[in-house]
Amino acid sequence: MEIEKEIFQGVTPKAYPTIAQGWGIMGYFLLIGMLLMIPIGLLSFVGIDPKTDWFLFLTYCIPMLILLWITSAYRKKNISNRKGYSFRRIPLSLFPVLIGVTIALIILLEPLSSIIPSPDWLKELMNSGIILNYWGFLTLAVAAPILEELLMRGVVLEGLLQNYEPRKAIIWSAVFFGVLHMNLAQFVGAFLIGIVIGWLYWKTDSLWPGILIHFVNNSLAFAGMVYFPDSEGIFFYDLVGNPLLYGLLLLVCVAIVWVTYKYVQSVCEKRGNVAVNC
């Protein structure tokens, strides 16, 4: 009704979501999670363990699927939203480049993430949400990259790019991506990687780069929990074992990020301010 009123008055309505509506999506996510605790508590009361493998998988997927359903419904009602999810093909040459830059970003962000205080109770809560078997891998490395990219880039960033200049849209989408993780320890890393994925989405007009980066990042995190469960501090620093070599490693990672940036710029021919051709 509001959209029809704006059209009648000669005003083009904004695409969904705006920045304010982005905060509304975060509110929906929190509300859905809180409401889901009710049936989980009831199941626990009747003797069903909510920490079983498949149940943890469902408790992650169900809120995300509900949120995708809600946001998709809002988007379909808004005639200003130009399209659905974009799975535009990207050059195969980008895949190894994106894998390499993901590893470089993990190494670069590790020192920054390590200085952010994370209380023991939060670490225990985060670890309790993942079981280190194939169900845990499906949750962290398969479901999360697909569902979070559909939401954060396919819905949120796509709408923001239609309403604001690319820089503003990408930064705000990264903020929401950080908030989605619901803790300060993960916010900074998610925010910075969110900027990279957001820029790649804007350049390629495709969800594939984000899904790939998300998959590689989460798979390596899962592998770290499996093979190095007692790792503390800066893992790659401890692995290298030499401050000079570690500094050189960081410089190499910075170079990889810069070369990737220039390579993507050369592969993708920018078309206007929003969409591009690869």
Side-chain angles (χ1 to χ4, degrees):
M1 195 73 180
E2 191 67 29
I3 294 174
E4 293 176 357
K5 181 180 178 181
E6 289 181 342
I7 295 172
F8 180 77
Q9 294 174 343
V11 178
T12 303
K14 287 188 174 182
Y16 178 86
T18 61
I19 292 172
Q21 289 168 332
W23 285 114
I25 292 173
M26 297 299 102
Y28 274 127
F29 179 70
L30 183 60
L31 178 61
I32 292 168
M34 292 172 62
L35 292 176
L36 192 64
M37 295 304 294
I38 298 174
I40 290 175
L42 292 175
L43 289 173
S44 300
F45 184 74
V46 298
I48 298 177
D49 185 5
K51 292 186 178 181
T52 54
D53 303 351
W54 60 271
F55 201 86
L56 286 174
F57 175 76
L58 289 179
T59 54
Y60 170 78
C61 291
I62 289 174
M64 292 299 297
L65 289 171
I66 292 174
L67 193 55
L68 281 168
W69 175 72
I70 292 172
T71 54
S72 295
Y74 275 117
R75 187 167 61 172
K76 286 178 181 178
K77 289 180 181 179
N78 193 328
I79 63 170
S80 293
N81 287 90
R82 59 186 181 181
K83 62 181 181 182
Y85 303 110
S86 179
F87 287 95
R88 191 174 185 177
R89 289 194 307 172
I90 62 174
L92 291 176
S93 61
L94 277 180
F95 282 83
V97 173
L98 294 176
I99 292 172
V101 80
T102 304
I103 297 172
L105 287 169
I106 291 170
I107 295 172
L108 287 171
L109 292 176
E110 189 184 39
L112 182 61
S113 299
S114 67
I115 65 175
I116 300 173
S118 182
D120 292 337
W121 66 266
L122 180 58
K123 292 179 181 178
E124 292 177 7
L125 180 63
M126 292 169 61
N127 291 334
S128 67
I130 293 293
I131 295 179
L132 301 180
N133 57 18
Y134 64 90
W135 281 107
F137 182 80
L138 282 174
T139 303
L140 188 65
V142 179
I146 294 172
L147 296 178
E148 290 180 17
E149 289 306 312
L150 285 173
L151 177 67
M152 300 310 304
R153 258 58 68 172
V155 175
V156 175
L157 179 55
E158 178 59 35
L160 294 177
L161 283 170
Q162 294 179 63
N163 294 324
Y164 311 101
E165 62 168 339
R167 180 180 299 178
K168 185 175 182 178
I170 291 168
I171 290 175
W172 271 106
S173 70
V175 169
F176 294 135
F177 186 50
V179 172
L180 189 74
H181 289 77
M182 294 295 174
N183 69 82
L184 181 61
Q186 289 183 302
F187 174 86
V188 175
F191 170 74
L192 294 173
I193 288 183
I195 288 178
V196 174
I197 297 177
W199 181 80
L200 285 165
Y201 178 81
W202 171 56
K203 292 295 294 181
T204 64
D205 194 28
S206 175
L207 289 167
W208 289 120
I211 291 174
L212 177 61
I213 289 176
H214 215 140
F215 169 77
V216 173
N217 179 78
N218 288 15
S219 296
L220 291 176
F222 185 84
M225 288 187 285
V226 172
Y227 296 107
F228 305 97
D230 299 321
S231 177
E232 295 288 343
I234 304 176
F235 173 77
F236 287 98
Y237 177 81
D238 296 335
L239 187 66
V240 172
N242 183 289
L244 291 177
L245 289 178
Y246 181 68
L248 180 61
L249 176 62
L250 293 180
L251 289 176
V252 170
C253 291
V254 170
I256 290 173
V257 173
W258 175 251
V259 169
T260 300
Y261 167 75
K262 299 302 290 184
Y263 181 74
V264 173
Q265 288 276 38
S266 67
V267 170
C268 296
E269 178 186 356
K270 193 172 178 182
R271 185 188 296 166
N273 290 324
V274 178
V276 296
N277 248 347
C278 278

